[in-house]
Amino acid sequence: MAGAGLALSPVAGHARAQPPAETGVPFGSAIQAEYIESDPAYRQAFLDYCDLIMPMNELKFGQIRPTRETWNFEPADKLVDFALSHGRKSRGTCHVWWNSTPDWVEALETPAEAEKALVEHIERVTDRYRGRLQSWDVVNEVVANDPIYDGRSLRDTVWLRKLGPRHIPIAFEATARADPAARLVINDYNLEFAGAEYDARRRVMLGIVQQLHDRNIRVDTVGIQGHLYTDHTIDTEALLTFQAELRKLGVGLMVTELDVIDWQKPADAEAQDARAEAILSDFLDAILADGPPEAVIAWGMTDRYSWIPDVLPRPDGATMRPLPLDREMREKSWMALLRKRLRTA
Ligand code: 9MR
């Protein structure tokens, strides 16, 4: 097991073999296997803009091991190869996630069986990509959605029910064993907004990181997903305090799933983009004020493909504009802002 001392070591792997742009903070995006061959413009967008290209879904537990007998590495291999063969970095998401636990895991009966399955999965998957993924989201979305309303700190998940909170240190230790050089990330959403619910989420996240640190279990980075709701407000002060607390523990910050949730009025594209730019600008002010994050990663490149219209559709049915390029691959003004801010950070 790696000790807490490692958490203080410098961020590795930020030099690019083939930089597409001169940036201070690496910019990346998540890519989807289903479009990479069928849509050449989609594929090209990643090469035009990204320092880092990571599989969006293909490394999730349920995709990699849908049944106990089946290991399905091919889609993830293809995407990681795509990134590395073009001189880009890549990273992995995610080992523990409530929304990717296959039926066979849910059916496991004893804590010992669950622990064995979790450790075996993490060791095998992490080892396969050792040296090729610069970091892993070891646990994703373990903080309760609304700790106040839900009356709990941790989300109720299959892993929590089977193993209790110790599934978190188990997962970190297994990942560290299998790839000691990979940065270990705890990833979550709704960590950037103003409001009691978000204060509570930040508190829980800091509490988990502190407990891992106190037990000498390495956690290197907090991933803020950065799904930015245009009708929410960024809490700059709270984010600065949050980052200062992490810094005390030797833990860094990364933005892992940036996109814009524009589900409220206005409906015209220009006004939507102006609101997107405003909230992104506030977010970057708060994140960059504390020194450069390890990376900023968008959750896709183009409005052609995004989870947002499926999961959080606009009530007025207007076209949503969540990502840096529009459906015709035209760059939005907020992508230009992002590039400029990251380059000079
Ligand atoms: O964007 C992802 C979508 O394509 C998948 O169908 C879905 C289920 O695997 O996951 C989406 O990504 C989620 C991410 O893994 C965790 N944070 C929230 C993202 C949006 O739901």
Side-chain angles (χ1 to χ4, degrees):
M1 182 196 99
L6 269 181
L8 300 170
S9 58
V11 181
H14 279 179
R16 284 186 313 263
Q18 223 182 301
E22 281 302 313
T23 60
V25 177
F27 172 75
S29 178
I31 193 166
Q32 293 177 265
E34 59 268 45
Y35 310 123
I36 189 169
E37 266 145 27
S38 63
D39 187 343
Y42 172 79
R43 173 192 169 99
Q44 188 58 40
F46 292 83
L47 298 177
D48 288 345
Y49 286 92
C50 297
D51 308 305
L52 179 151
I53 302 170
M54 64 179 286
M56 179 181 287
N57 298 312
E58 294 73 5
L59 285 164
K60 291 170 177 171
F61 197 122
Q63 305 251 345
I64 288 277
R65 201 176 182 190
T67 71
R68 201 193 263 272
E69 297 73 34
T70 327
W71 293 87
N72 174 35
F73 289 112
E74 201 192 315
D77 284 354
K78 193 166 79 179
L79 297 181
V80 173
D81 288 347
F82 173 68
L84 300 190
S85 67
H86 288 91
R88 307 316 201 266
K89 303 290 183 191
S90 195
R91 63 182 305 273
T93 193
C94 45
H95 289 324
V96 167
W97 187 34
W98 62 273
N99 202 16
S100 196
T101 42
D103 293 346
W104 71 270
V105 168
E106 300 205 18
L108 296 172
E109 276 171 13
T110 67
E113 278 180 310
E115 180 169 350
K116 187 163 173 282
L118 180 60
V119 169
E120 180 192 22
H121 180 88
I122 292 179
E123 288 184 345
R124 179 149 178 199
V125 177
T126 309
D127 180 63
R128 182 182 180 91
Y129 296 99
R130 183 157 37 91
R132 299 205 288 156
L133 301 178
Q134 64 175 202
S135 63
W136 266 104
D137 293 334
V138 177
V139 300
N140 192 29
E141 303 178 355
V142 292
V143 176
N145 184 53
D146 179 344
I148 300 170
Y149 179 83
D150 300 345
R152 54 189 304 141
S153 304
L154 298 181
R155 181 188 290 271
D156 181 20
T157 69
V158 167
W159 293 117
L160 187 77
R161 286 197 293 273
K162 293 197 185 297
L163 290 172
R166 72 190 179 91
H167 75 278
I168 299 174
I170 288 171
F172 274 92
E173 289 184 317
T175 312
R177 269 197 309 276
D179 188 351
R183 304 271 301 169
L184 307 183
V185 182
I186 178 166
N187 197 46
D188 223 306
Y189 62 93
N190 282 1
L191 293 167
E192 57 278 73
F193 304 119
E197 163 186 353
Y198 311 110
D199 287 336
R201 289 181 57 81
R202 285 184 283 270
R203 263 198 313 277
V204 173
M205 175 57 91
L206 285 174
I208 298 170
V209 173
Q210 178 78 53
Q211 284 179 47
L212 290 169
H213 184 266
D214 290 349
R215 292 176 55 185
N216 226 24
I217 291 166
R218 181 162 66 95
V219 48
D220 297 308
T221 305
V222 167
I224 294 189
Q225 292 183 358
H227 297 295
L228 302 180
Y229 291 81
T230 52
D231 59 331
H232 288 23
T233 305
I234 299 294
D235 192 333
T236 306
E237 206 175 308
L239 268 179
L240 289 176
T241 308
F242 185 72
Q243 291 173 92
E245 293 295 322
L246 292 179
R247 197 168 350 98
K248 278 190 221 158
L249 299 171
V251 171
L253 195 85
M254 190 187 296
V255 177
T256 51
E257 301 186 13
L258 182 70
D259 53 19
V260 175
I261 303 175
D262 55 340
W263 61 353
Q264 306 289 345
K265 291 176 177 175
D268 77 281
E270 212 174 304
Q272 274 177 294
D273 291 353
R275 285 176 70 147
E277 185 166 343
I279 193 152
L280 176 67
S281 178
D282 290 349
F283 183 52
L284 291 175
D285 285 346
I287 296 286
L288 298 177
D290 195 70
E294 293 174 17
V296 172
I297 297 159
W299 208 233
M301 279 308 295
T302 159
D303 294 345
R304 266 184 212 182
Y305 314 110
S306 165
W307 65 283
I308 294 175
D310 296 334
V311 178
L312 299 165
R314 282 181 69 103
D316 64 7
T319 304
M320 299 185 83
R321 297 178 62 82
L323 288 165
L325 309 181
D326 70 11
R327 300 176 73 90
E328 281 71 49
M329 303 292 174
R330 287 182 300 238
E331 180 178 311
K332 293 177 190 161
S333 58
W334 66 260
M335 179 67 217
L337 169 87
L338 184 59
R339 276 203 306 196
K340 181 162 165 238
R341 297 290 306 270
L342 297 185
R343 195 181 319 130
T344 54

